[in-house]
């Protein structure tokens, strides 16, 4: 790597580490410190800067779950009758304990292709009017983001951002409470199933635009240099 680019990369990492101490979210902070990938650290820092975990915490989950049930009548008819769930209940449904981590980067040197993996875990706290006890469900999933360098007709490279989506096979939800009252048990398991259907789209709508914005700010020459470094490191390991 030319000395100037090496200096710029080191200075960039220094500023990222200094900014880290001001961030409130432990999940992304841990990814920033543990990740061996410079690019993963840059993405993690960008997500912290844009308050990605705060955005997920503020998702209007109740509206989406309510709409999901309205599209599938009868799922909780035994519980809420013909009235709108949101109108009947006086409790709450909140997202808590969020852990958003940029867990790894894959690179293909010859195709100048990158893939970032974003893992997400959180709890959903549920309290309904007929039961003051808070019930919890836990959800985890992975988001995959693809991007690559593409040459134009003049040989100049541009960054192209491909798909950003929740990997459906990675989505898992479970009920955390051990002592579930009989009248809550069926409700919670139906809620868990509906949560698995609506939450991927909600997370994608919050996180993917942020990742696209972060990637568009990256310097193409820096990406190329990072890829060359990674390729040289792999060759050294052979």
């Amino acid at each position: 790597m030319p000395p100037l680019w090496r200096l710029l990369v080191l200075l960039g990492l220094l500023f990222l580490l200094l900014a880290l101490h001001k961030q409130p979210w432990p999940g992304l902070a841990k990814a920033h410190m543990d990740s061996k990938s410079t690019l993963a650290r840059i993405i993690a820092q960008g997500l912290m800067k844009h308050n990605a975990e705060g955005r997920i915490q503020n998702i209007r989950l109740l509206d989406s779950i309510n709409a999901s049930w309205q599209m599938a009548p009868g799922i909780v008819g035994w519980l809420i009758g013909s009235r709108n769930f949101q109108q009947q209940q006086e409790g709450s449904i909140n997202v808590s304990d969020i852990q958003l981590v940029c867990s790894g980067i894959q690179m293909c040197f010859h195709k100048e292709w990158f893939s970032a993996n974003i893992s997400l875990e959180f709890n959903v706290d549920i309290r309904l009017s007929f039961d003051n006890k808070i019930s919890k469900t836990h959800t985890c999933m992975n988001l995959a983001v693809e991007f690559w360098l593409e040459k134009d007709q003049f040989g100049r490279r541009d960054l192209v951002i491909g798909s950003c989506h929740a990997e459906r096979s990675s989505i898992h939800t479970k009920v955390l409470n051990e002592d579930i009252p009989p009248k809550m048990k069926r409700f919670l398991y139906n809620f868990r199933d509906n949560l698995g259907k609506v939450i991927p789209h909600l997370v994608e709508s919050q996180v993917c635009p942020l990742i696209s914005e972060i990637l568009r700010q990256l310097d193409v020459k820096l990406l190329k240099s990072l890829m060359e470094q990674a390729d040289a490191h792999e060759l050294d390991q052979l």
Side-chain angles (χ1 to χ4, degrees), residues 1-10 38-39 107 109 112 114 149 157 219-233:
M1 177 188 292
L4 178 59
W5 277 110
R6 189 185 301 275
L7 176 61
L8 291 175
V9 170
L10 291 175
T38 300
L39 186 54
M107 296 182 182
F109 178 74
E112 298 188 339
F114 304 79
L149 299 178
R157 288 180 174 84
D219 188 275
V220 172
K221 292 182 179 179
L222 175 60
L223 284 177
K224 182 65 175 176
S225 296
L226 293 175
M227 184 170 286
E228 290 173 349
Q229 279 187 313
D231 185 62
H233 178 72

Side-chain angles (χ1 to χ4, degrees), residues 38 40 44 50 55 99-100 143 147 185:
T38 300
H50 292 290
R55 291 172 183 244
Q99 292 288 316
L100 182 64
L143 277 81
F147 51 104
K185 184 172 294 186

Side-chain angles (χ1 to χ4, degrees), residues 3 8 11 43 79 88-89 95 115 127 144 150 157 160 165 175 201 207 217 224 235:
L8 291 175
L11 288 174
I43 293 174
L79 177 63
Q88 186 210 16
Q89 63 91 33
V95 177
S115 177
R127 183 178 63 82
E150 190 172 281
R157 288 180 174 84
V160 179
H165 64 278
V175 178
H201 172 70
V207 179
Q217 295 176 2
K224 182 65 175 176
L235 291 175

Side-chain angles (χ1 to χ4, degrees), residues 34 36 43 54 56 58 64 78 85 90 106 114 132 159 170 180 190 199 219 221 230:
D34 292 348
K36 295 181 180 179
I43 293 174
I56 295 172
N58 293 326
S64 298
W78 59 274
F85 173 64
E90 297 176 355
Q106 291 181 324
F114 304 79
N132 288 324
L159 178 64
S170 71
I180 305 174
N190 283 326
I199 199 64
D219 188 275
K221 292 182 179 179

Side-chain angles (χ1 to χ4, degrees), residues 150-204:
E150 190 172 281
K151 291 182 179 180
D152 62 16
Q153 58 181 333
F154 303 106
R156 296 173 301 195
R157 288 180 174 84
D158 291 319
L159 178 64
V160 179
I161 302 172
S163 65
C164 174
H165 64 278
E167 298 178 322
R168 293 313 189 257
S169 61
S170 71
I171 301 169
H172 300 285
T173 61
K174 64 180 179 180
V175 178
L176 298 181
N177 299 66
E178 296 181 357
D179 53 338
I180 305 174
K183 64 180 179 180
M184 280 290 292
K185 184 172 294 186
R186 185 179 172 186
F187 169 80
L188 280 177
Y189 282 95
N190 283 326
F191 176 85
R192 180 198 63 183
D193 293 340
N194 279 268
L195 181 65
K197 296 175 184 177
V198 302
I199 199 64
H201 172 70
L202 294 176
V203 171
E204 289 169 356

Side-chain angles (χ1 to χ4, degrees), residues 85-152:
F85 173 64
Q86 188 174 4
Q87 291 174 340
Q88 186 210 16
Q89 63 91 33
E90 297 176 355
S92 60
I93 297 180
N94 299 310
V95 177
S96 65
D97 303 318
I98 303 168
Q99 292 288 316
L100 182 64
V101 176
C102 184
S103 54
I105 300 288
Q106 291 181 324
M107 296 182 182
C108 179
F109 178 74
H110 298 290
K111 295 182 179 181
E112 298 188 339
W113 171 89
F114 304 79
S115 177
N117 185 70
I118 312 294
S119 62
L120 172 65
E121 295 187 35
F122 60 89
N123 291 336
V124 177
D125 303 333
I126 311 162
R127 183 178 63 82
L128 299 181
S129 58
F130 56 80
D131 189 343
N132 288 324
K133 181 178 179 180
I134 294 179
S135 300
K136 288 180 176 288
T137 63
H138 181 76
T139 298
C140 59
M141 69 179 69
N142 291 329
L143 277 81
V145 187
E146 291 184 293
F147 51 104
W148 59 89
L149 299 178
E150 190 172 281
K151 291 182 179 180
D152 62 16

Side-chain angles (χ1 to χ4, degrees), residues 13 16 31-33 35-46:
L13 289 176
L16 290 177
H32 186 99
M33 295 300 293
S35 175
K36 295 181 180 179
S37 168
T38 300
L39 186 54
R41 291 195 294 270
I42 291 173
I43 293 174
Q45 177 65 27

